[in-house]
Amino acid sequence: METRSEKRAFLIGRFQPFHKGHLEIVKRILSENDSIIIGIGSAQYSHTVINPFTAGERHLMISRTLEKEHIYNYYLVPIEDVNANSLWVSHVEALTPKFDIVYTNNPLVRRLFMERRYEVRSLPMVNRKEWTGTKIREKMIAGQPWEEDVPDPVVEVIHEIDGISRIRQLSTTDEDITQ
Amino acid sequence: METRSEKRAFLIGRFQPFHKGHLEIVKRILSENDSIIIGIGSAQYSHTVINPFTAGERHLMISRTLEKEHIYNYYLVPIEDVNANSLWVSHVEALTPKFDIVYTNNPLVRRLFMERRYEVRSLPMVNRKEWTGTKIREKMIAGQPWEEDVPDPVVEVIHEIDGISRIRQLSTTDEDITQ
Amino acid sequence: METRSEKRAFLIGRFQPFHKGHLEIVKRILSENDSIIIGIGSAQYSHTVINPFTAGERHLMISRTLEKEHIYNYYLVPIEDVNANSLWVSHVEALTPKFDIVYTNNPLVRRLFMERRYEVRSLPMVNRKEWTGTKIREKMIAGQPWEEDVPDPVVEVIHEIDGISRIRQLSTTDEDITQ
Amino acid sequence: METRSEKRAFLIGRFQPFHKGHLEIVKRILSENDSIIIGIGSAQYSHTVINPFTAGERHLMISRTLEKEHIYNYYLVPIEDVNANSLWVSHVEALTPKFDIVYTNNPLVRRLFMERRYEVRSLPMVNRKEWTGTKIREKMIAGQPWEEDVPDPVVEVIHEIDGISRIRQLSTTDEDITQ
Amino acid sequence: METRSEKRAFLIGRFQPFHKGHLEIVKRILSENDSIIIGIGSAQYSHTVINPFTAGERHLMISRTLEKEHIYNYYLVPIEDVNANSLWVSHVEALTPKFDIVYTNNPLVRRLFMERRYEVRSLPMVNRKEWTGTKIREKMIAGQPWEEDVPDPVVEVIHEIDGISRIRQLSTTDEDITQ
Amino acid sequence: METRSEKRAFLIGRFQPFHKGHLEIVKRILSENDSIIIGIGSAQYSHTVINPFTAGERHLMISRTLEKEHIYNYYLVPIEDVNANSLWVSHVEALTPKFDIVYTNNPLVRRLFMERRYEVRSLPMVNRKEWTGTKIREKMIAGQPWEEDVPDPVVEVIHEIDGISRIRQLSTTDEDITQ
């Protein structure tokens, strides 16, 4: 019995929400690899302006989008943050199938995987002016059109879960006397 | 055996310290309900400028005040923060008797309970210019009179626990070379 | 401003459920002290055969019983277990008003408080043959009468929360192939 | 925009390892539903006799098996245990897409979902004499043939990760003087 | 600047208490290595029959003993347990200076370090009939002489901390009605 | 058997990195005490600009420095942060040998130990303009000479672990589209 020869890549993001830039990156990584592990980072967070959607909602956004694109060679894994950076690579390794290459532009992620002897590659450049989670969330809050920035299945999911109402309500200023 | 017909309300605050605005709110909520659950939020925190008092000290402030007011139809419950917003309503439900209505002005608390199908009502307006925890703590640190802003039993408790000395010491600037 | 002269006692139990032996102990402790803190231990646990009821359900059992008995000089505090025994006394102290005397027969509780220089007293003897949580839970599961062993308000609460059905269901043997 | 009409089921197991009984159950659930969420329970555990495989290794066993079976309408989600049963349903809900029906024979899982108003169904009966995780792990340790009890892709994965050597080593008696 | 050529070993134990067998093992490991890291395992536990002494008390037992033996080439590091075996090696690595060789007879420790490509060696055989933590703790409880089984400085430390009284008290049967 | 008459001091710092100011303080404390416990604070953190080094790396910096200075009467103890200030003193006490005097300029540390009846002394003044962790880390990032500010063994350790490369990489701006 031999070990696998399949080349597997690892990508992590918060995907709040999963947008067209993310989809583009997934496609390019798959053009260089046999399969991709997509880690849904900060999986435990939700219901904040920065992290409005639950891990399950993000799971649905991504899997529906990839199904529509007829992409099946992926592993989708929610990954909760751990308190200590020194444990993070082992935490990822325990939750995912083995992988060979890490794609990231995040200096901490890059450093942690490099110290564990992984090959780390930079993410391809895509339309960063429009396609960032921050900008899309700002549009949602401001009532501006955001639907063009995300794949159609993501629009569907956000409507199903009443996501726009949620992020707008969360963005209002807290005036609670009890706090 | 039937289920209860008593109408029970839920209010959460940090009560750092419990002041006259809080007492006023408790009274108004009780004018509309049979009983009130008072959750002492961020129960695990103490000894900071924002959260100077322990949950036990806040418990004492509230129960002594309500006793003096001859209010007995309340449940007082310390509630530690949980890491994940998605778990928070279940966390509250596990620690408290069942309740029907939530009173809050906090957008996150409102949203989380609404998604769980609770009735959520806004807090009544009280004298917010003077009666906020922030302002009262600032007076304590600056050596200005704060005693008028809290019920008498709270003044007592704060003196018993040497609370003014504590908050002032905590407010000094850290010059520790070892940090 | 002086420190209090009130004598306050501390009692901790799991109260699964709160029974007549517990009520008897509370009364005797109050005959020797001005007030009592009742800690609801292992507060985070519920829905097991050993710990069937949530902290909130136990809170309700105790406060309703004491109200019926016209006992008001008590503080009711849920206390989650901590992982490390060395932190436990500080954990209790942070969650409760200050107290002077600890009542317990538990060797660990006794030791931990003694090492912190508390006065520790043994619990009074009450009808232990019938009034133990274990025996009462066994009766509930076996369909034998248990109502005589607990105060009437506890019977009410257990029926309101469908408690007998819960503990019986939890006591069935797990045959789950997926486990 | 309407809410989904897709019928989605939830199944949780530890899958140590994923065997033919599990596969049979997945197929039967899918014959009654549009899609299935497969929760990999006790996701944080590995390297014990009871839980030899990591969540990532189990993820790989399941997704490779389902791919070979041409089953694509599933969501695979690792689910770490939480300390408190009262939080568990919310924990599952946060990590998964919304679902309608829970399949389980586990009394605790059944009770927790029932109290949250989910429809809960029993698992179909399959060949339980041979197909249980316990029995298969015992065969692995004893050096008896186990390969017939699991789908072929699971055999592959276990060999790739050197799984038999791992479980055998872990089953040896601890004679460590330092413990 | 080159990397170190010093050969450093890692040993972990609970040291409840540190006894003559442990000292013998430390000496033999140092005869094959330049220095030793001694991990005080299960560091968060104390005040139970199995783990009577705190990490700080065990730290003192070990460092006083080694000082008396004129052994200085060691690093003493308390190591709290982590919930997940898959994180344990990274946890140890983060808390300790780098090391080359692991000494253990524990199958789990052996496996976890082997999977991380460490060299693992078995512990030398010493007088195991008398020198085990279990046996020594049993003697302490039964009032039999235990002092011969541990180095003199350990006897001192245990007396200073009133250790015999502690372990005896903890070993009494719990008859607490409140539990 | 008597209790010890040795006078033991406690000092805590993050030591990111251990510099000449820290060494000076250790020496002055030892001139007034028989031994010193050095707590390595925030032990779980590493790989950030503020906390670049692991607890194990800091352990090595300190013990090598003190060995070179022929200082042996110290106890070195990594101390992870705890979530709740009210537990912190007990947490320290559990991890360390007993001590009599605390040296600190940190208002929170001072307050917490004072409330537990410890004697607390201020740290001696040393060359604070140059010798602060913040300033030294800034020099490392900016490529300015920092080696004069730390003891020689610390320079060695930082080079062995490739520390300068690490802190520089971590200080680059995050441009990760996936975040």
Side-chain angles (χ1 to χ4, degrees):
Chain A
M1 187 68 46
E2 307 175 351
T3 50
R4 78 204 147 73
S5 59
E6 186 192 331
K7 229 168 81 187
R8 218 180 273 143
F10 177 70
L11 172 74
I12 190 154
R14 291 193 295 108
F15 308 120
Q16 293 279 12
F18 188 78
H19 56 61
K20 286 183 175 169
H22 297 138
L23 177 56
E24 191 60 31
I25 285 169
V26 168
K27 285 178 179 173
R28 296 207 198 163
I29 291 175
L30 279 176
S31 74
E32 301 172 0
N33 293 273
D34 295 298
S35 64
I36 184 172
I37 299 164
I38 303 172
I40 302 176
S42 298
Q44 76 267 47
Y45 297 119
S46 70
H47 293 85
T48 68
V49 170
I50 304 295
N51 287 300
F53 307 117
T54 69
E57 291 163 352
R58 293 177 269 161
H59 198 116
L60 195 56
M61 292 176 196
I62 298 170
S63 54
R64 263 204 214 163
T65 299
L66 298 185
E67 187 186 15
K68 200 185 164 196
E69 299 281 332
H70 303 296
I71 296 171
Y72 296 107
N73 49 341
Y74 69 92
Y75 304 86
L76 198 45
V77 184
I79 295 178
E80 300 195 4
D81 291 349
V82 285
N83 196 17
N85 288 333
S86 52
L87 302 183
W88 194 72
V89 170
S90 287
H91 177 60
V92 169
E93 289 173 337
L95 288 168
T96 58
K98 271 205 166 54
F99 51 89
D100 311 283
I101 306 170
V102 175
Y103 287 78
T104 188
N105 288 338
N106 181 301
L108 174 60
V109 172
R110 173 182 296 272
R111 181 76 199 179
L112 291 174
F113 276 109
M114 275 176 56
E115 292 196 2
R116 294 284 169 179
R117 311 265 171 245
Y118 278 85
E119 181 184 342
V120 180
R121 295 192 191 158
S122 293
L123 292 176
M125 282 296 171
V126 291
N127 175 12
R128 286 204 191 164
K129 215 163 64 191
E130 291 304 319
W131 293 345
T132 74
T134 306
K135 194 151 278 177
I136 293 169
R137 293 191 303 271
E138 284 170 0
K139 289 178 181 175
M140 289 172 169
I141 292 169
Q144 292 164 3
W146 53 273
E147 291 85 349
E148 286 301 305
D149 299 325
V150 304
D152 289 351
V154 174
V155 177
E156 269 175 53
V157 171
I158 288 175
H159 284 305
E160 279 175 25
I161 63 174
D162 195 25
I164 300 304
S165 150
R166 185 194 295 165
I167 194 169
R168 275 192 204 152
Q169 187 166 353
L170 294 170
S171 71
T172 59
T173 310
D174 179 356
E175 300 250 10
D176 195 342
I177 191 177
T178 63
Q179 290 310 304
Chain B
M1 188 67 46
E2 307 176 351
T3 52
R4 80 205 143 74
S5 60
E6 184 192 332
K7 228 167 84 187
R8 216 180 275 143
F10 177 71
L11 171 74
I12 189 155
R14 291 192 296 107
F15 307 119
Q16 293 279 12
F18 187 79
H19 55 61
K20 287 183 175 168
H22 297 138
L23 176 57
E24 191 59 32
I25 285 169
V26 168
K27 286 179 178 172
R28 297 210 198 161
I29 290 175
L30 279 175
S31 73
E32 301 172 0
N33 293 273
D34 295 297
S35 64
I36 185 172
I37 299 165
I38 303 173
I40 302 176
S42 298
Q44 76 266 50
Y45 297 119
S46 70
H47 292 86
T48 69
V49 170
I50 303 297
N51 287 299
F53 307 117
T54 70
E57 291 163 351
R58 292 177 269 161
H59 197 116
L60 195 57
M61 291 177 197
I62 298 170
S63 55
R64 264 205 213 162
T65 299
L66 297 185
E67 188 186 13
K68 201 187 164 193
E69 300 282 332
H70 304 295
I71 295 171
Y72 296 106
N73 49 341
Y74 69 92
Y75 305 86
L76 198 45
V77 184
I79 295 179
E80 300 195 3
D81 291 349
V82 286
N83 196 19
N85 288 333
S86 51
L87 302 183
W88 193 72
V89 171
S90 288
H91 177 60
V92 169
E93 289 174 337
L95 288 168
T96 58
K98 271 205 166 52
F99 51 89
D100 312 284
I101 306 170
V102 175
Y103 287 79
T104 188
N105 288 338
N106 181 301
L108 174 60
V109 172
R110 173 180 295 273
R111 181 77 199 180
L112 292 174
F113 277 109
M114 276 175 55
E115 292 196 3
R116 293 284 170 179
R117 310 268 171 242
Y118 278 85
E119 180 185 341
V120 180
R121 295 193 190 158
S122 294
L123 293 176
M125 282 296 171
V126 291
N127 175 11
R128 286 204 192 167
K129 216 165 62 190
E130 291 305 319
W131 293 345
T132 74
T134 306
K135 195 152 275 177
I136 293 168
R137 294 192 302 272
E138 284 170 0
K139 289 178 181 174
M140 288 172 169
I141 291 168
Q144 293 164 5
W146 53 273
E147 290 86 347
E148 286 301 306
D149 299 325
V150 305
D152 289 350
V154 174
V155 177
E156 269 174 54
V157 171
I158 288 174
H159 284 305
E160 279 175 23
I161 63 174
D162 194 24
I164 301 303
S165 150
R166 185 194 295 165
I167 194 170
R168 274 190 204 153
Q169 187 166 355
L170 294 170
S171 71
T172 58
T173 310
D174 179 357
E175 299 252 8
D176 194 341
I177 191 178
T178 63
Q179 291 309 304
Chain C
M1 189 68 46
E2 307 175 351
T3 51
R4 79 204 146 76
S5 58
E6 184 192 333
K7 226 166 84 187
R8 217 179 275 143
F10 177 71
L11 172 74
I12 189 153
R14 290 193 295 107
F15 308 119
Q16 293 280 13
F18 188 79
H19 55 62
K20 287 183 175 168
H22 297 138
L23 177 56
E24 191 59 32
I25 286 169
V26 167
K27 286 178 178 172
R28 297 208 198 163
I29 291 175
L30 280 175
S31 73
E32 302 172 357
N33 293 274
D34 295 298
S35 64
I36 184 172
I37 299 165
I38 303 172
I40 302 175
S42 299
Q44 76 268 48
Y45 296 119
S46 70
H47 292 85
T48 69
V49 170
I50 303 297
N51 288 297
F53 307 117
T54 70
E57 291 162 353
R58 292 176 268 162
H59 197 116
L60 195 56
M61 291 177 197
I62 298 170
S63 55
R64 263 203 213 163
T65 299
L66 298 185
E67 188 186 13
K68 202 185 162 195
E69 300 282 332
H70 304 295
I71 296 172
Y72 296 107
N73 49 342
Y74 69 92
Y75 304 87
L76 198 43
V77 184
I79 296 179
E80 300 194 4
D81 291 350
V82 287
N83 196 20
N85 287 334
S86 51
L87 302 183
W88 193 72
V89 171
S90 287
H91 177 61
V92 169
E93 290 174 336
L95 288 168
T96 57
K98 270 203 168 52
F99 51 90
D100 310 285
I101 306 171
V102 175
Y103 287 78
T104 188
N105 288 337
N106 181 302
L108 174 60
V109 172
R110 173 181 295 272
R111 181 78 199 177
L112 292 174
F113 276 109
M114 276 176 55
E115 291 196 4
R116 294 284 170 180
R117 311 265 170 243
Y118 278 85
E119 180 185 342
V120 180
R121 294 191 191 160
S122 293
L123 292 176
M125 281 297 170
V126 291
N127 175 11
R128 285 202 192 168
K129 215 164 64 190
E130 291 304 319
W131 293 344
T132 74
T134 305
K135 195 151 274 177
I136 294 169
R137 294 191 302 271
E138 284 170 359
K139 290 178 180 174
M140 289 171 168
I141 291 169
Q144 293 165 2
W146 53 273
E147 290 86 348
E148 287 301 304
D149 299 325
V150 305
D152 289 350
V154 174
V155 178
E156 269 175 54
V157 170
I158 288 174
H159 284 305
E160 279 175 24
I161 65 175
D162 194 23
I164 300 304
S165 149
R166 186 194 292 165
I167 194 169
R168 274 190 204 154
Q169 187 166 354
L170 294 170
S171 71
T172 58
T173 310
D174 179 357
E175 299 251 8
D176 195 340
I177 191 178
T178 63
Q179 290 310 304
Chain D
M1 187 70 45
E2 307 175 353
T3 50
R4 79 203 144 75
S5 59
E6 185 192 333
K7 226 166 83 187
R8 216 179 275 144
F10 177 70
L11 172 73
I12 189 154
R14 291 192 297 107
F15 307 119
Q16 293 279 13
F18 188 79
H19 55 62
K20 286 183 175 169
H22 297 138
L23 177 57
E24 191 59 32
I25 286 170
V26 168
K27 285 178 178 173
R28 295 207 199 164
I29 291 175
L30 280 175
S31 74
E32 302 172 357
N33 293 273
D34 295 298
S35 64
I36 185 172
I37 299 165
I38 303 172
I40 302 175
S42 298
Q44 76 268 48
Y45 297 119
S46 69
H47 293 85
T48 69
V49 170
I50 303 297
N51 287 298
F53 308 116
T54 70
E57 291 163 352
R58 292 177 269 162
H59 197 117
L60 194 57
M61 290 176 199
I62 298 170
S63 55
R64 263 203 214 164
T65 299
L66 298 184
E67 188 186 14
K68 202 186 162 195
E69 300 281 333
H70 304 295
I71 296 171
Y72 296 106
N73 48 342
Y74 69 93
Y75 305 86
L76 199 44
V77 184
I79 296 178
E80 300 195 4
D81 292 350
V82 287
N83 196 20
N85 287 334
S86 51
L87 303 183
W88 194 72
V89 170
S90 287
H91 177 60
V92 169
E93 289 174 338
L95 288 168
T96 57
K98 270 204 167 54
F99 51 90
D100 311 284
I101 306 170
V102 175
Y103 287 78
T104 188
N105 288 338
N106 181 300
L108 174 60
V109 172
R110 173 181 296 272
R111 181 77 198 179
L112 293 174
F113 277 109
M114 276 176 54
E115 291 196 2
R116 294 285 170 179
R117 311 265 170 243
Y118 278 85
E119 180 185 342
V120 180
R121 295 192 191 160
S122 294
L123 292 177
M125 282 296 169
V126 291
N127 175 12
R128 286 202 191 167
K129 214 164 65 192
E130 291 303 319
W131 294 344
T132 74
T134 305
K135 195 151 276 178
I136 294 168
R137 294 192 302 271
E138 284 169 0
K139 289 178 180 176
M140 289 172 168
I141 292 168
Q144 293 165 1
W146 53 273
E147 290 87 349
E148 287 300 305
D149 300 326
V150 305
D152 290 350
V154 174
V155 178
E156 270 175 53
V157 170
I158 288 175
H159 284 305
E160 280 175 24
I161 64 174
D162 194 24
I164 300 303
S165 150
R166 186 194 293 166
I167 194 170
R168 275 190 205 154
Q169 188 166 354
L170 294 170
S171 72
T172 58
T173 310
D174 179 357
E175 300 251 8
D176 195 340
I177 191 177
T178 63
Q179 290 311 304
Chain E
M1 187 69 46
E2 308 174 352
T3 51
R4 80 204 143 76
S5 59
E6 185 193 332
K7 228 166 84 186
R8 217 180 273 143
F10 177 70
L11 172 73
I12 189 154
R14 292 192 294 108
F15 308 119
Q16 293 279 13
F18 188 79
H19 56 61
K20 286 184 175 169
H22 297 138
L23 176 57
E24 191 59 33
I25 286 169
V26 168
K27 285 178 179 175
R28 296 207 199 163
I29 291 175
L30 280 175
S31 73
E32 302 172 359
N33 293 273
D34 295 298
S35 64
I36 184 172
I37 298 165
I38 302 172
I40 301 175
S42 298
Q44 76 267 49
Y45 297 119
S46 69
H47 293 84
T48 69
V49 170
I50 304 295
N51 287 298
F53 306 117
T54 70
E57 291 163 351
R58 293 177 269 162
H59 197 117
L60 195 56
M61 291 176 197
I62 298 170
S63 54
R64 262 203 214 165
T65 299
L66 297 185
E67 188 186 15
K68 201 187 164 194
E69 300 281 332
H70 304 296
I71 296 172
Y72 296 108
N73 48 342
Y74 69 91
Y75 304 86
L76 198 44
V77 184
I79 295 179
E80 300 195 3
D81 290 349
V82 287
N83 196 18
N85 288 333
S86 52
L87 302 183
W88 193 72
V89 170
S90 288
H91 176 60
V92 169
E93 289 174 337
L95 288 168
T96 58
K98 269 203 169 53
F99 51 89
D100 311 285
I101 306 171
V102 174
Y103 286 78
T104 188
N105 288 338
N106 181 300
L108 174 60
V109 172
R110 173 182 295 273
R111 182 76 199 179
L112 292 173
F113 277 109
M114 276 176 56
E115 292 196 3
R116 294 284 169 180
R117 311 269 171 240
Y118 278 84
E119 180 185 340
V120 179
R121 294 193 191 158
S122 294
L123 292 177
M125 282 297 169
V126 291
N127 175 12
R128 285 202 191 167
K129 216 164 62 190
E130 291 303 320
W131 294 344
T132 75
T134 304
K135 194 151 278 177
I136 294 168
R137 293 191 302 271
E138 284 169 0
K139 290 178 181 175
M140 289 173 168
I141 292 168
Q144 293 165 2
W146 53 273
E147 291 86 348
E148 287 301 304
D149 299 326
V150 305
D152 289 351
V154 173
V155 178
E156 270 175 53
V157 170
I158 287 175
H159 284 305
E160 280 175 24
I161 64 175
D162 194 24
I164 300 303
S165 149
R166 187 194 294 165
I167 194 169
R168 273 190 206 153
Q169 187 165 355
L170 294 170
S171 71
T172 59
T173 309
D174 178 357
E175 298 251 9
D176 194 341
I177 191 176
T178 62
Q179 291 308 304
Chain F
M1 187 70 44
E2 307 176 354
T3 51
R4 80 203 144 73
S5 59
E6 186 193 331
K7 227 167 84 187
R8 216 180 274 143
F10 177 70
L11 171 73
I12 190 155
R14 291 192 297 108
F15 307 118
Q16 293 279 12
F18 188 79
H19 56 62
K20 286 183 175 169
H22 297 139
L23 177 57
E24 190 60 30
I25 286 168
V26 168
K27 286 179 178 174
R28 296 207 199 163
I29 291 175
L30 280 176
S31 73
E32 301 172 0
N33 293 274
D34 294 298
S35 65
I36 185 173
I37 298 164
I38 303 172
I40 302 176
S42 297
Q44 76 267 47
Y45 297 119
S46 69
H47 293 86
T48 68
V49 169
I50 303 297
N51 287 299
F53 306 117
T54 69
E57 291 162 353
R58 292 177 269 161
H59 197 117
L60 195 56
M61 291 177 196
I62 297 170
S63 55
R64 264 203 213 163
T65 299
L66 297 184
E67 187 186 15
K68 202 187 163 194
E69 300 282 332
H70 303 295
I71 296 172
Y72 296 107
N73 49 342
Y74 68 92
Y75 304 86
L76 198 44
V77 184
I79 295 178
E80 300 195 4
D81 292 350
V82 286
N83 197 18
N85 287 334
S86 51
L87 302 183
W88 195 73
V89 171
S90 287
H91 176 61
V92 169
E93 289 174 336
L95 288 168
T96 57
K98 271 206 165 54
F99 51 89
D100 310 284
I101 306 170
V102 175
Y103 287 79
T104 188
N105 288 337
N106 181 301
L108 174 60
V109 172
R110 173 181 296 274
R111 181 79 200 177
L112 292 174
F113 277 108
M114 275 176 55
E115 293 196 3
R116 294 284 169 180
R117 310 266 172 243
Y118 278 86
E119 180 185 341
V120 180
R121 295 193 190 156
S122 293
L123 292 177
M125 282 298 171
V126 291
N127 175 12
R128 286 205 192 166
K129 214 163 65 192
E130 291 305 318
W131 293 344
T132 75
T134 305
K135 194 151 278 178
I136 293 169
R137 293 192 303 271
E138 284 170 0
K139 289 178 181 175
M140 288 172 170
I141 292 168
Q144 292 164 4
W146 53 273
E147 291 86 348
E148 287 301 305
D149 299 325
V150 304
D152 290 350
V154 174
V155 177
E156 269 175 55
V157 170
I158 288 174
H159 284 305
E160 279 175 24
I161 63 175
D162 195 24
I164 300 303
S165 150
R166 186 194 294 165
I167 195 169
R168 274 191 205 152
Q169 188 166 353
L170 294 169
S171 71
T172 59
T173 310
D174 179 357
E175 300 251 6
D176 194 341
I177 191 177
T178 63
Q179 291 309 304

